[in-house]
Amino acid sequence: MSARRFRRAFVIGAYLPNGGTLMAYHLGRILERDFGIAAVAVAVGDETAEHGIHDYDLRMPLVPREQMEREIGADDILIVNPSFSVYQFGWRLPGFKISYVQDFKTFALLDRKFDHYVAISDFVGKFLRTVYDLETRVIPPFINLDRLPHTPDWSQRPEAVVLPYRKGMPEVWDLSWQRLREILAARAPHIILAEPVAASGIPQQQLLARIGSVRYFLALSAAEGFGLVPLEAMAMGTTVIGYDGFGGRQYMRPDDNCAVAPYPQIERVAELLIAAVGDPEKSLQMARRGRQTAVGYSYAAFRRAWIDEFCQALQIAPLQP
């Protein structure tokens, strides 16, 4: 391969405290550590690496978006999630521009002037193909399997406690939550619905420990590009119940490694939840199969896929083939 030379890889929003931007951060990390291309985090607001939600072992220099726009050149790489399509970087900036499309609803109109696109799931890939006539490779996200907190075995956790996960459009989530509570109050008052948790504002290790303290994880996010937190719940050995979120179909196998239904079938979700709590042996087996599923989404697999993708898209060679 006749390798091209790139100076820097600018990563938009690398230090924003959410899962999608964490994945983008790791693309910059791979480019620096495996290809020797200096990674630079780009702030879109006042974010820093000190928010306490995620840990960053590679501390990239942090520059404001305006500075990046002034400095970026033809020999630089730009890594962007599609939620930043509003800036229309593809139209305005030089360099090789890569969009890791991790959702299908965080942008009104996709910036179609990028050089390369990768989808996070088959569902997002189908969306891009259908709406934007884009053929993309699918590279799922990863779970840091080496850093999962220790939690009790499934059988040692409270018998009928369910942990709801709050994410998505508040109006839709609230309506699903209200209807579910009505059904459970009438048909299964013994089921205990814990205080809902959200990924935002909670250190990742603390969130995972909370998920791993209960038997049942309730996912009521109507639509996800992938749905990383339910997969993390599987990794914690917790039985996942709820909506499949569309993108979750990448790894969710109903009645095998989870108990899910498509949005807006909240009545079906309630039935699945009641059945799961009523049949702990089957729920334990689903949790075990869920954990086996999660093991396939390792950082090593993510890194290998992206090294291969960067080699092909950028026509570059890694430092150590």
Side-chain angles (χ1 to χ4, degrees), residues 162-168 173 177 194-200 202 207 211 216-221 224 227-230 232-233 241:
V162 179
L163 182 64
Y165 174 58
R166 185 178 184 92
K167 186 181 179 184
W173 196 95
W177 177 235
E195 184 70 21
V197 296
S200 59
I202 303 175
L207 175 64
I211 292 171
Y216 308 100
F217 176 87
L218 180 63
L220 290 183
S221 179
E224 299 265 15
L228 186 59
V229 175
E232 290 175 327
I241 302 161

Side-chain angles (χ1 to χ4, degrees), residues 230-238 240 251-252 257-258 287 290-291 293-294:
L231 182 63
E232 290 175 327
M234 290 184 177
M236 295 305 301
T238 303
V240 172
Y251 61 90
M252 292 178 176
N257 65 2
C258 61
R291 178 172 278 171
T293 298

Side-chain angles (χ1 to χ4, degrees), residues 23 27 52 82 108 133 180 220:
M23 295 301 128
L27 301 193
D133 197 27
L180 179 76
L220 290 183

Side-chain angles (χ1 to χ4, degrees), residues 43-186:
V44 294
D46 58 0
E47 74 270 12
T48 71
E50 311 301 330
H51 49 66
I53 305 301
H54 301 296
D55 296 323
Y56 304 99
D57 63 339
L58 172 66
R59 289 301 179 99
M60 306 174 187
L62 180 64
V63 302
R65 175 181 58 84
E66 295 81 2
Q67 180 180 338
M68 177 277 296
E69 292 194 20
R70 293 193 301 269
E71 294 183 359
I72 191 170
D75 56 353
D76 291 318
I77 300 165
L78 184 66
I79 296 172
V80 182
N81 289 350
S83 55
F84 301 112
S85 288
V86 65
Y87 292 112
Q88 292 297 306
F89 292 130
W91 284 92
R92 301 188 297 106
L93 299 182
F96 194 97
K97 296 171 284 289
I98 299 173
S99 179
Y100 187 20
V101 186
Q102 300 184 54
D103 211 330
F104 56 93
K105 64 189 187 313
T106 56
F107 51 91
L109 183 68
L110 181 69
D111 186 340
R112 274 294 278 112
K113 296 291 283 185
F114 272 54
D115 301 288
H116 194 68
Y117 298 83
V118 174
I120 199 168
S121 66
D122 290 335
F123 186 88
V124 171
K126 181 178 180 181
F127 167 81
L128 293 174
R129 185 167 56 252
T130 302
V131 177
Y132 292 102
D133 197 27
L134 273 172
E135 292 292 338
T136 63
R137 180 178 178 180
V138 171
I139 302 181
F142 72 91
I143 296 172
N144 197 335
L145 297 165
D146 297 330
R147 298 199 62 226
L148 297 177
H150 177 74
T151 55
D153 291 337
W154 193 93
S155 60
Q156 297 175 334
R157 303 175 190 180
E159 291 184 5
V161 176
V162 179
L163 182 64
Y165 174 58
R166 185 178 184 92
K167 186 181 179 184
M169 294 177 60
E171 300 82 2
V172 174
W173 196 95
D174 288 344
L175 289 168
S176 295
W177 177 235
Q178 178 182 342
R179 180 62 183 139
L180 179 76
R181 292 175 65 187
E182 291 171 353
I183 296 171
L184 295 183

Side-chain angles (χ1 to χ4, degrees), residues 6-8 29-39 316-319:
F6 291 95
R7 284 192 306 154
R8 297 166 295 185
R29 183 180 184 273
I30 291 168
L31 283 168
E32 177 155 323
R33 295 201 165 169
D34 290 292
F35 294 92
I37 299 170
I316 57 177
L319 297 175

